[in-house]
Amino acid sequence: MPRALLLTLAALLSACSPRVLSAEGWSFRIGDAAGEVRLVSRQEFGVCSPKLVGCTVPLGHGCLVMLDRDYFLNGTPRQRTLLLAHEVGHCLDASVLEYGHGGIGAQGAVYGEYYRPAVEGFAESYARAYVAVCGDNLAPLGYGSGPACALPDPRTVRVSLP
């Protein structure tokens, strides 16, 4: 994501959640999609419900991902992986699929009622496809170190049985 575009987004969000700009975080790039991840208290998400543990704000071919700091840092490796990959899935749905959700409709309900809307069904399907290929290695999503891994192509992600 061009730095000017990210700064514009950050400026808009800072009105609602000023700590987002200075929060601990990292960057990621997947193909043409780029994003910034910030660890903040969910009460500081601003544009998303504080009931969530992750929030993605798409912008063009990129996004800002906000993760609840305590949930992410204290979660199990699998919880961290599913959370981050799910939010990155939202970013890819916007930037690569232009909200086509990979053709996933209400089928996401196989994961639970929360995932029935296509937008959530796709993001969860991407997270599960990511785990199937990369395990709990978050390095391809910009966090920590680990081996390279061939990330799932969002255009080929489908709902999988839990």
Side-chain angles (χ1 to χ4, degrees):
M1 175 182 313
R3 185 134 179 93
L5 199 52
L6 182 60
L7 291 174
T8 300
L9 173 63
L12 291 172
L13 290 174
S14 69
C16 297
S17 49
R19 284 191 11 90
V20 171
L21 290 176
S22 61
E24 168 186 5
W26 60 92
S27 300
F28 68 87
R29 175 169 287 284
I30 300 173
D32 291 336
E36 295 290 326
V37 179
R38 294 293 177 258
L39 300 178
V40 296
S41 163
R42 67 181 87 180
Q43 285 74 31
E44 297 178 83
F45 285 173
V47 296
C48 297
S49 170
K51 294 178 183 177
L52 301 174
V53 292
C55 172
T56 299
V57 180
L59 183 63
H61 287 284
C63 62
L64 173 66
V65 172
M66 295 175 281
L67 304 177
D68 181 74
R69 186 178 194 287
D70 290 338
Y71 182 92
F72 183 78
L73 294 177
N74 297 317
T76 66
R78 182 56 42 99
Q79 287 171 323
R80 285 194 302 266
T81 304
L82 287 171
L83 174 60
L84 180 56
H86 178 99
E87 295 306 325
V88 168
H90 284 303
C91 185
L92 295 172
D93 189 15
S95 63
V96 175
L97 303 178
E98 297 179 346
Y99 296 107
H101 316 303
I104 294 173
Q107 303 98 313
V110 300
Y111 309 125
E113 258 325 287
Y114 179 81
Y115 306 103
R116 181 176 295 279
V119 65
E120 293 300 336
F122 174 80
E124 188 63 14
S125 295
Y126 185 84
R128 289 169 188 246
Y130 180 91
V131 167
V133 174
C134 301
D136 292 331
N137 173 18
L138 291 176
L141 301 179
Y143 184 78
S145 60
C149 147
L151 297 175
D153 181 336
R155 292 174 288 266
T156 63
V157 167
R158 299 293 174 257
V159 171
S160 62
L161 295 176

